[in-house]
Amino acid sequence: MYKEFYGLREKPFVLTPDPQFLFLSESHRAPLNLFFTVFIRGRGFILITGDIGTGRRPSVEPFEKLDKNVKTAVIFNSFLTEEELLESILLDFGFPSKGEQEKSGSTH
């Protein structure tokens, strides 16, 4: 409806952000410079926080595409216990959860 009425080339109001429409404001530049520095040096980690719609995810995606060794964890629930937070990060990084380890008989 909006696309035809306004003559748009893309559908507006999609649920997943499209990185091609990312606008790098001044508030985006400082964290991205830090991220780029850590990325170039190949060590360390960065925590990016912000409100819904501030461009956290699209800011990180180009780095993931540049280097398959860049790993990210996306935490949507900010009310996790410390243990739940660590487990969620490890799962996003591809490590099995404690429950999965116990089922398979692995001890580490």
Side-chain angles (χ1 to χ4, degrees):
M1 171 176 135
Y2 294 104
K3 191 174 170 185
E4 293 80 24
F5 183 80
Y6 289 106
L8 303 173
R9 290 180 283 149
E10 305 287 333
K11 285 180 82 176
F13 314 116
V14 294
L15 293 177
T16 55
D18 188 337
Q20 76 176 353
F21 297 114
L22 175 65
F23 173 75
L24 292 177
S25 69
E26 192 59 40
S27 63
H28 288 98
R29 289 191 181 107
L32 283 177
N33 286 338
L34 175 62
F35 192 88
F36 189 71
T37 301
V38 170
F39 176 76
I40 291 295
R41 291 185 180 158
R43 58 181 176 264
F45 72 94
I46 296 177
L47 170 67
I48 299 175
T49 64
D51 290 330
I52 294 170
T54 56
R56 296 172 315 248
R57 187 81 200 134
S59 298
V60 175
E61 284 175 352
F63 293 98
E64 292 173 321
K65 291 177 182 173
L66 283 175
D67 187 341
K68 64 182 177 187
N69 293 317
V70 172
K71 305 290 185 210
T72 60
V74 180
I75 309 301
F76 293 105
N77 181 353
S78 59
F79 297 103
L80 300 173
T81 66
E82 290 91 351
E83 186 174 311
E84 291 168 335
L85 174 63
L86 289 173
E87 183 175 9
S88 182
I89 292 169
L90 288 172
L91 286 171
D92 272 9
F93 285 169
F95 293 97
S97 72
K98 184 177 178 181
E100 290 173 352
Q101 288 178 351
E102 290 170 359
K103 288 178 192 173
S104 68
S106 175
T107 57
H108 50 289

